[in-house]
Amino acid sequence: MTIDFTKAALLLIDVQNDFCPGGALAVADGDAVIAPLNAVSGYCVQRGAAVIATQDWHPQNHSSFRAAHTGNERDGQVLWPVHCVQGTYGATFRSSLDLKPVRLVLRKGFRPQIDSYSGFFENDRRTVTGLHGFLTEAGIDTILIGGLATDYCVLYTALDGRRLGFTTLVMLDAVRGVDYPAGSVEKALRSMQEAGVVLTNSTTITGSP
Ligand code: VGL
Ligand code: ZN
């Protein structure tokens, strides 16, 4: 598959301290996505692609936080420990992530009552983030995805990308998952594949061994 990088965007999904080792919602081996992402973003930006970073950006009492509820679940939705609170260290991009190539930082999850896994829509599936408008206006038809977490923000972003008609690639060496509930990474990979998402690797994109 040949990629026209002038019509491509690289999406760096939620590479933030809270999703990395030591963070509030640490993804096992989360740091491992950074080296491949830095390599791909340098490669992409040199060839005219847009690099976009999403940032989970919650108010302190966000409805996706377990602490904001009495029970353990809300309408069957998964609830999370307090994470990525606006302005905190946990919400900050991991310092080793190269932000120089990033053209757009897209914050999501800032509305107190709605969570937002996808970079395109909030979880009500209707409220838009503006990413689709940005990509369309920039003439982009292909999105390359890496970051955290495979089974939530990466999954939802990739499925929406397909639904909106983008050629969508996910780089498996540049994603890591929460795997909660157990098996959800496996399930995520299967549903991406069924939706026509191309599962690839960063080295396949850059052509390096
Ligand atoms: C995410 C759970 C809650 C993610 C964000 O970035 O995948 N997961 N908020
Ligand atoms: Zn979140």
Side-chain angles (χ1 to χ4, degrees):
M1 164 182 228
T2 50
I3 298 170
D4 179 353
F5 285 96
T6 66
K7 292 183 177 174
L10 171 65
L11 307 183
L12 311 172
I13 304 294
D14 299 1
V15 187
Q16 294 165 260
N17 289 314
D18 268 345
F19 296 123
C20 288
L25 182 34
V27 175
D29 210 20
D31 271 330
V33 305
I34 294 169
L37 287 179
N38 286 346
V40 176
S41 72
Y43 184 92
C44 285
V45 85
Q46 266 178 22
R47 285 158 182 79
V51 180
I52 296 166
T54 66
Q55 191 171 25
D56 213 32
W57 195 249
H58 297 310
Q60 222 165 66
N61 228 356
H62 193 253
S63 57
S64 75
F65 297 164
R66 199 172 294 128
H69 302 272
T70 41
N72 235 357
E73 282 207 348
R74 186 180 66 124
D75 307 332
Q77 310 255 23
V78 181
L79 293 175
W80 304 106
V82 174
H83 67 279
C84 295
V85 172
Q86 298 168 1
T88 62
Y89 172 79
T92 305
F93 289 116
R94 201 71 170 156
S95 63
S96 48
L97 182 71
D98 185 8
L99 293 174
K100 290 191 300 293
V102 173
R103 201 186 283 183
L104 173 74
V105 172
L106 188 108
R107 288 173 169 170
K108 61 184 180 63
F110 51 81
R111 291 181 180 84
Q113 297 309 322
I114 328 176
D115 206 1
S116 187
Y117 293 149
S118 164
F120 290 101
F121 297 96
E122 310 226 344
N123 288 3
D124 64 359
R125 317 308 301 138
R126 285 199 316 269
T127 308
V128 299
T129 62
L131 180 60
H132 186 212
F134 180 93
L135 296 177
T136 327
E137 208 161 7
I140 286 159
D141 61 19
T142 300
I143 57 176
L144 286 170
I145 302 176
L148 306 167
T150 314
D151 38 349
Y152 290 93
C153 291
V154 167
L155 168 70
Y156 279 65
T157 302
L159 293 181
D160 280 343
R162 283 299 300 142
R163 217 170 278 133
L164 294 167
F166 294 96
T167 299
T168 304
L169 298 90
V170 168
M171 300 171 288
L172 293 177
D173 59 330
V175 296
R176 291 294 184 281
V178 180
D179 211 28
Y180 174 82
S184 72
V185 166
E186 207 36 59
K187 205 168 125 192
L189 295 177
R190 222 177 316 116
S191 52
M192 286 192 277
Q193 210 151 23
E194 278 163 14
V197 174
V198 179
L199 303 180
T200 182
N201 278 295
S202 68
T203 50
T204 308
I205 304 297
T206 60
S208 48

